[in-house]
Amino acid sequence: MTVAEHMDNSVQNVDIAIVGGAMVGATLALALARLSGTEKPLSIALIEAHLPDNNHPGFDARSIAIAHGSIFELSRLGLWPKLARLGTAIKDIHVSDRGHFGMTELNASKFHLDALGQVVELERVGQVLFSELNKTQVKRYCPAKLSALIPDIDSHTLVLDSGERICAKLVVAADGLQSKVRSSFNLPITQVVFEQTAIIANLQTDKPHQHWAYERFTETGPLALLPMADSQGQPRLSLVWALDDSRAQAMLTAPKAEFLAELQHAFGYRAGQFIDVSERHAYPLNLSYMPRPIHHRCVFIGNAAQTLHPIAGQGFNLGLRDVVSLLDVLNTAREQGEDIGGVAVTHGYLQAREADRNSTIRNIEFLVRGFSNQYWPLALGRNLGLRLLSWFPPLKTPVAQKAMGWK
């Protein structure tokens, strides 16, 4: 149901208003729509600034890895069957440290799994999620932007750029790093600047990837390659290459042949020869997180709550765990007849997310600083660590559990 054509100033009353309809926000809206198929359905509004097929910043040319644990949760929510056809399996992961002896592998077969995760292209995912939203009773305001947020004791009123007003018992902020909801409440956010920029692109190679993913640590930061579906019979890999800011700018504008040569030099030939590259995009790599991702009648999820460095590919996977935790808290509140936006919900969500968020954020910062540093004691320590994983396979289990998104 699309309501963007309603241009009067009447107030729409809903139980939950979600601000931001990219991966995490759209997933939550669909999950809540399924939850609403009960005796007392929830009324849900989704506010999104961009149509999915109109240069949507959340559904762009990037590819992401959806971990095994996330696939389990998406299946439980009834969403993975809709997305499965878009996925390319990651069956093996090769981890190495450029210029050093450290390397190891994670293999799905060693854990009796078909895959460690799946790679999906965000642009195609956005089309599927919005198509599924068309089948629900979620009130969608798209394209629409939040202009103001008026707080009250029992609700919040969201004012859109069209003049429309939505009164919600609970506001869920899924509107990314530059969250309008967060700025409306003037809430603090902690930022860690790594002085790195990621070059994002798709590569064509001269040999099939055979479902291998690669994480190669270099002196400027990690270089990751993810397997993608072939395009017109041509093998493809998704690239995330972290560089210092000035070097990234040079690589962003370098002639294609120079770029491919520099990339080949940094990575080597384990994945074959790189023969072509798509349009390149640059993204600054920082770590941002809210110390407390809640406020009065408001919770923050996904990139609005924390934006991670892509070194471990945990951005969406952590955001999905935000969604799952919020759904669990809302289910409990409904069963006990509690206020859907009350303190029990917001503080229950905060408590449910605290350990997982803190652990993931600490691990990401440790990996970035530890593997982007050529100080020889650190380099020796991390290479011994990688070798130990190869020499003593049981040590891989906790590492694999983290990589697969299992808490």
Side-chain angles (χ1 to χ4, degrees), residues 25-185:
T27 299
L28 175 63
L30 287 166
L32 285 172
R34 289 174 57 84
L35 179 66
S36 295
T38 59
E39 293 181 4
K40 297 179 179 179
L42 292 170
S43 54
I44 307 152
L46 177 63
I47 302 159
E48 170 52 42
H50 304 274
L51 295 169
D53 55 352
N54 188 26
N55 297 319
H56 193 297
F59 295 123
D60 55 17
R62 290 172 296 163
S63 295
I64 63 168
I66 300 182
H68 186 271
S70 296
I71 292 170
F72 173 83
E73 295 294 355
L74 288 171
S75 299
R76 195 164 66 92
L77 297 174
L79 298 179
W80 182 247
K82 312 295 183 182
L83 300 172
R85 63 183 176 82
L86 306 180
T88 300
I90 299 174
K91 297 185 178 182
D92 305 278
I93 302 174
H94 186 273
V95 183
S96 61
D97 194 0
R98 185 177 185 273
H100 300 281
F101 61 87
M103 65 177 63
T104 194
E105 294 178 1
L106 298 175
N107 312 101
S109 60
K110 299 294 177 61
F111 297 96
H112 309 290
L113 298 172
D114 293 330
L116 299 170
Q118 298 278 338
V119 179
V120 296
E121 297 176 57
L122 287 175
E123 185 176 6
R124 300 178 67 194
V125 170
Q127 294 168 3
V128 171
L129 293 181
F130 270 67
S131 175
E132 291 301 308
L133 281 168
N134 286 336
K135 304 173 186 177
T136 71
Q137 293 301 308
V138 174
K139 298 181 179 73
R140 286 181 294 112
Y141 298 78
C142 179
K145 294 181 180 180
L146 179 65
S147 292
L149 198 155
I150 304 170
D152 205 341
I153 295 175
D154 298 323
S155 63
H156 292 311
T157 299
L158 297 88
V159 183
L160 307 187
D161 55 355
S162 63
E164 296 169 280
R165 292 172 175 252
I166 303 165
C167 184
K169 297 176 184 176
L170 177 69
V171 174
V172 180
D175 51 345
L177 175 60
Q178 306 300 329
S179 171
K180 175 68 174 179
V181 177
R182 189 196 315 116
S183 63
S184 296
F185 290 124

Side-chain angles (χ1 to χ4, degrees), residues 192-226:
V192 180
V193 178
F194 295 120
E195 297 181 342
Q196 292 180 347
T197 297
I199 300 294
I200 311 290
N202 297 331
L203 301 170
Q204 290 186 2
T205 61
D206 69 343
K207 74 175 189 179
H209 52 64
Q210 297 183 322
H211 300 281
W212 277 86
Y214 302 90
E215 184 92 36
R216 186 159 176 77
F217 297 105
T218 75
E219 59 273 13
T220 63
L223 193 166
L225 297 174
L226 299 175

Side-chain angles (χ1 to χ4, degrees), residues 290-295 299 325-326 329 343-358:
M290 295 180 66
R292 285 172 57 87
I294 63 168
H295 191 61
V299 300
S325 293
L326 179 57
V329 171
V343 171
V345 168
T346 55
H347 283 255
Y349 172 76
L350 178 66
Q351 183 177 6
R353 298 304 302 132
E354 187 171 22
D356 183 30
R357 285 183 79 238
N358 291 344

Side-chain angles (χ1 to χ4, degrees), residues 255-404:
K256 185 179 293 186
E258 179 185 342
F259 176 85
L260 291 172
E262 291 290 333
L263 177 62
Q264 198 83 65
H265 177 70
F267 181 80
Y269 288 86
R270 188 176 295 274
Q273 184 170 352
F274 306 135
I275 59 177
D276 200 3
V277 61
S278 69
E279 182 180 358
R280 286 159 267 170
H281 302 273
Y283 296 88
L285 296 180
N286 300 317
L287 171 64
S288 304
Y289 59 93
M290 295 180 66
R292 285 172 57 87
I294 63 168
H295 191 61
H296 174 64
R297 292 192 173 274
C298 183
V299 300
F300 294 79
I301 64 175
N303 285 349
Q306 63 274 319
T307 302
L308 305 181
H309 190 291
I311 189 169
Q314 290 301 308
F316 170 70
N317 298 295
L318 184 61
L320 180 62
R321 298 201 293 274
D322 291 343
V323 169
V324 170
S325 293
L326 179 57
L327 290 170
D328 289 342
V329 171
L330 289 171
N331 265 322
T332 300
R334 298 187 77 204
E335 289 171 359
Q336 298 178 356
E338 295 173 345
D339 182 350
I340 207 72
V343 171
V345 168
T346 55
H347 283 255
Y349 172 76
L350 178 66
Q351 183 177 6
R353 298 304 302 132
E354 187 171 22
D356 183 30
R357 285 183 79 238
N358 291 344
S359 173
T360 303
I361 289 168
R362 282 196 306 269
N363 290 341
I364 293 293
E365 186 169 8
F366 170 78
L367 284 172
V368 175
R369 298 196 186 283
F371 281 89
S372 299
N373 194 313
Q374 296 306 300
Y375 182 53
W376 73 263
L378 275 177
L380 178 62
R382 70 183 182 238
N383 278 270
L384 284 173
L386 290 173
R387 276 300 181 188
L388 282 172
L389 291 175
S390 295
W391 293 335
F392 301 102
L395 295 176
K396 292 183 181 180
T397 299
V399 176
Q401 287 176 334
K402 292 280 188 185
M404 290 188 288

